[in-house]
Coordinates of all heavy atoms in Angstrom, one line a residue:
Chain G
V76 N -27.5 -24.5 9.4 CA -28.6 -24.8 10.4 C -29.8 -24.1 10.0 O -30.9 -24.5 10.0 CB -28.0 -24.5 11.8 CG1 -29.2 -24.5 12.8 CG2 -27.0 -25.6 12.2
F77 N -29.6 -22.7 9.7 CA -30.8 -21.9 9.4 C -31.5 -22.5 8.1 O -32.7 -22.6 8.1 CB -30.3 -20.5 9.1 CG -31.3 -19.6 8.5 CD1 -32.3 -19.1 9.4 CD2 -31.4 -19.2 7.3 CE1 -33.3 -18.2 8.9 CE2 -32.4 -18.5 6.7 CZ -33.4 -18.0 7.5
L78 N -30.7 -22.9 7.2 CA -31.3 -23.4 5.9 C -32.0 -24.7 6.1 O -33.1 -25.0 5.6 CB -30.2 -23.7 4.9 CG -29.6 -22.5 4.2 CD1 -28.4 -22.8 3.2 CD2 -30.8 -21.8 3.4
L79 N -31.5 -25.5 7.1 CA -32.0 -26.8 7.5 C -33.4 -26.5 8.1 O -34.4 -27.2 7.8 CB -31.1 -27.5 8.4 CG -31.1 -29.0 8.3 CD1 -30.8 -29.5 6.9 CD2 -30.0 -29.5 9.3
M80 N -33.4 -25.6 9.1 CA -34.6 -25.3 9.8 C -35.6 -24.7 8.8 O -36.8 -25.0 8.8 CB -34.4 -24.2 10.9 CG -33.4 -24.7 11.9 SD -34.2 -25.9 13.1 CE -35.1 -24.9 14.0
A81 N -35.2 -23.8 8.0 CA -36.1 -23.1 7.0 C -36.7 -24.1 6.0 O -37.9 -24.0 5.7 CB -35.4 -22.1 6.3
S82 N -35.9 -25.1 5.6 CA -36.4 -26.1 4.7 C -37.2 -27.2 5.2 O -38.0 -27.9 4.5 CB -35.2 -26.7 3.8 OG -34.5 -27.4 4.7
S83 N -37.3 -27.3 6.5 CA -38.1 -28.4 7.2 C -39.3 -27.7 7.9 O -40.3 -27.5 7.3 CB -37.2 -29.1 8.1 OG -36.5 -28.4 9.1
V84 N -39.0 -27.2 9.2 CA -40.2 -26.7 9.9 C -40.6 -25.4 9.4 O -41.8 -25.0 9.5 CB -39.9 -26.7 11.4 CG1 -39.8 -28.1 12.0 CG2 -38.6 -25.9 11.7
G85 N -39.7 -24.6 8.9 CA -40.0 -23.2 8.5 C -40.6 -23.1 7.2 O -41.1 -22.0 6.9
Y86 N -40.7 -24.2 6.4 CA -41.1 -24.1 5.0 C -42.6 -23.6 4.9 O -42.9 -22.8 4.1 CB -41.0 -25.4 4.4 CG -40.9 -25.3 2.9 CD1 -39.7 -25.0 2.2 CD2 -42.0 -25.5 2.0 CE1 -39.6 -25.0 0.9 CE2 -41.9 -25.5 0.6 CZ -40.7 -25.2 0.1 OH -40.7 -25.1 -1.3
R87 N -43.4 -24.2 5.9 CA -44.8 -23.9 5.8 C -45.1 -22.3 6.2 O -46.2 -21.8 5.9 CB -45.6 -24.8 6.8 CG -45.3 -24.6 8.3 CD -46.0 -25.6 9.1 NE -45.3 -26.8 9.0 CZ -45.4 -27.8 9.8 NH1 -46.1 -27.7 10.9 NH2 -44.7 -29.0 9.7
Y88 N -44.1 -21.7 6.9 CA -44.4 -20.3 7.3 C -44.0 -19.3 6.3 O -44.2 -18.2 6.4 CB -43.6 -20.0 8.7 CG -44.0 -21.0 9.7 CD1 -43.2 -21.9 10.3 CD2 -45.4 -20.8 10.3 CE1 -43.5 -22.7 11.4 CE2 -45.7 -21.7 11.4 CZ -44.8 -22.6 11.9 OH -45.1 -23.4 12.9
L89 N -43.3 -19.8 5.2 CA -42.8 -18.9 4.2 C -43.9 -18.1 3.6 O -43.7 -16.8 3.5 CB -42.1 -19.8 3.1 CG -41.5 -19.0 2.0 CD1 -40.4 -18.1 2.4 CD2 -41.0 -19.9 0.9
F90 N -45.0 -18.7 3.3 CA -46.1 -17.9 2.6 C -46.7 -16.9 3.6 O -47.0 -15.8 3.2 CB -47.3 -19.0 2.3 CG -46.9 -19.8 1.0 CD1 -46.1 -20.8 1.1 CD2 -47.4 -19.4 -0.2 CE1 -45.7 -21.6 -0.1 CE2 -47.1 -20.0 -1.4 CZ -46.3 -21.1 -1.3
E91 N -46.8 -17.3 4.9 CA -47.2 -16.3 5.9 C -46.4 -15.1 6.1 O -46.8 -14.0 6.1 CB -47.5 -17.1 7.2 CG -48.8 -18.0 7.1 CD -48.8 -18.9 8.4 OE1 -48.4 -18.4 9.4 OE2 -49.3 -20.0 8.2
I92 N -45.1 -15.5 6.2 CA -44.1 -14.4 6.3 C -44.1 -13.4 5.1 O -44.1 -12.2 5.3 CB -42.6 -15.0 6.5 CG1 -42.6 -15.8 7.9 CG2 -41.6 -13.8 6.6 CD1 -41.4 -16.6 8.1
A93 N -44.2 -14.1 3.9 CA -44.2 -13.3 2.7 C -45.4 -12.4 2.7 O -45.3 -11.1 2.3 CB -44.1 -14.2 1.5
R94 N -46.6 -13.0 3.0 CA -47.8 -12.1 3.1 C -47.6 -11.0 4.1 O -48.1 -9.9 3.9 CB -48.9 -13.0 3.4 CG -50.2 -12.4 3.1 CD -51.5 -13.3 2.9 NE -51.2 -14.8 3.0 CZ -51.7 -15.5 4.0 NH1 -52.2 -14.9 5.1 NH2 -51.4 -16.7 4.1
F95 N -47.0 -11.3 5.2 CA -47.0 -10.4 6.4 C -46.0 -9.1 6.0 O -46.3 -8.0 6.3 CB -46.3 -11.1 7.6 CG -46.1 -10.1 8.7 CD1 -47.3 -9.7 9.5 CD2 -44.9 -9.7 9.1 CE1 -47.1 -8.9 10.7 CE2 -44.7 -8.9 10.2 CZ -45.9 -8.4 11.0
V96 N -44.9 -9.4 5.2 CA -44.1 -8.3 4.8 C -44.6 -7.7 3.5 O -43.9 -6.8 3.0 CB -42.6 -8.7 4.7 CG1 -42.0 -9.2 6.0 CG2 -42.5 -9.9 3.7
G97 N -45.6 -8.2 2.9 CA -46.2 -7.5 1.7 C -45.6 -7.9 0.5 O -45.7 -7.2 -0.5
V98 N -45.0 -9.2 0.4 CA -44.5 -9.7 -0.9 C -45.5 -10.6 -1.5 O -45.9 -11.7 -0.9 CB -43.2 -10.4 -0.8 CG1 -42.7 -11.0 -2.0 CG2 -42.2 -9.4 -0.1
P99 N -46.1 -10.3 -2.7 CA -47.2 -11.2 -3.2 C -46.8 -12.5 -3.7 O -47.6 -13.5 -3.6 CB -47.8 -10.3 -4.4 CG -46.6 -9.3 -4.7 CD -45.9 -9.2 -3.5
Y100 N -45.5 -12.6 -4.1 CA -45.0 -13.9 -4.6 C -43.9 -14.5 -3.7 O -42.9 -14.0 -3.6 CB -44.4 -13.7 -6.0 CG -44.0 -15.0 -6.7 CD1 -44.8 -16.0 -6.9 CD2 -42.8 -15.1 -7.2 CE1 -44.5 -17.1 -7.6 CE2 -42.3 -16.2 -7.8 CZ -43.2 -17.2 -8.0 OH -42.7 -18.4 -8.7
P101 N -44.4 -15.5 -2.8 CA -43.4 -15.9 -1.7 C -42.1 -16.3 -2.1 O -41.1 -15.9 -1.4 CB -44.2 -17.1 -1.2 CG -45.6 -16.9 -1.5 CD -45.7 -16.2 -2.8
P102 N -41.8 -17.0 -3.3 CA -40.5 -17.3 -3.6 C -39.6 -16.1 -3.8 O -38.4 -16.1 -3.6 CB -40.6 -18.0 -5.0 CG -41.9 -18.7 -4.8 CD -42.8 -17.6 -4.2
S103 N -40.2 -14.9 -4.2 CA -39.4 -13.7 -4.3 C -38.8 -13.3 -3.0 O -37.7 -12.8 -2.9 CB -40.3 -12.6 -4.8 OG -40.7 -12.8 -6.1
A104 N -39.5 -13.4 -1.9 CA -39.1 -13.1 -0.5 C -37.9 -13.9 -0.2 O -36.9 -13.6 0.4 CB -40.2 -13.3 0.5
L105 N -38.0 -15.3 -0.6 CA -36.9 -16.2 -0.3 C -35.7 -15.8 -1.2 O -34.5 -15.8 -0.6 CB -37.3 -17.6 -0.8 CG -36.5 -18.7 -0.3 CD1 -36.6 -18.9 1.2 CD2 -37.0 -20.0 -0.9
F106 N -35.8 -15.5 -2.4 CA -34.7 -15.0 -3.2 C -34.1 -13.8 -2.7 O -32.8 -13.7 -2.6 CB -35.1 -14.8 -4.6 CG -35.4 -16.1 -5.5 CD1 -36.5 -16.3 -6.2 CD2 -34.4 -17.1 -5.4 CE1 -36.7 -17.5 -6.9 CE2 -34.5 -18.2 -6.1 CZ -35.7 -18.5 -6.9
F107 N -34.9 -12.8 -2.3 CA -34.4 -11.5 -1.7 C -33.6 -11.8 -0.4 O -32.5 -11.3 -0.3 CB -35.6 -10.7 -1.3 CG -35.2 -9.4 -0.6 CD1 -34.6 -8.4 -1.3 CD2 -35.4 -9.3 0.8 CE1 -34.2 -7.3 -0.5 CE2 -35.0 -8.1 1.4 CZ -34.4 -7.1 0.8
L108 N -34.1 -12.7 0.4 CA -33.4 -13.1 1.7 C -32.0 -13.7 1.3 O -30.9 -13.4 1.8 CB -34.1 -14.0 2.6 CG -35.2 -13.3 3.4 CD1 -35.9 -14.5 4.1 CD2 -34.5 -12.4 4.5
A109 N -32.1 -14.7 0.3 CA -30.9 -15.4 -0.1 C -29.8 -14.5 -0.7 O -28.7 -14.5 -0.4 CB -31.2 -16.5 -1.1
I110 N -30.3 -13.6 -1.6 CA -29.3 -12.7 -2.2 C -28.7 -11.7 -1.2 O -27.5 -11.5 -1.3 CB -30.1 -12.0 -3.5 CG1 -30.3 -13.0 -4.6 CG2 -29.2 -10.8 -4.0 CD1 -31.2 -12.5 -5.6
S111 N -29.5 -11.2 -0.3 CA -29.1 -10.3 0.7 C -28.0 -10.9 1.5 O -27.0 -10.4 1.8 CB -30.2 -9.9 1.6 OG -31.2 -9.3 0.8
A112 N -28.3 -12.2 1.9 CA -27.3 -13.0 2.8 C -26.0 -13.2 2.0 O -24.9 -13.0 2.6 CB -27.9 -14.3 3.2

Side-chain angles (χ1 to χ4, degrees):
Chain G
V76 166
F77 172 78
L78 285 175
L79 214 54
M80 298 289 282
S82 64
S83 54
V84 290
Y86 203 81
R87 69 186 71 160
Y88 300 114
L89 178 65
F90 284 80
E91 288 169 32
I92 294 169
R94 196 162 356 110
F95 181 74
V96 295
V98 179
Y100 184 57
S103 296
L105 193 65
F106 283 130
F107 173 71
L108 279 176
I110 291 169
S111 302

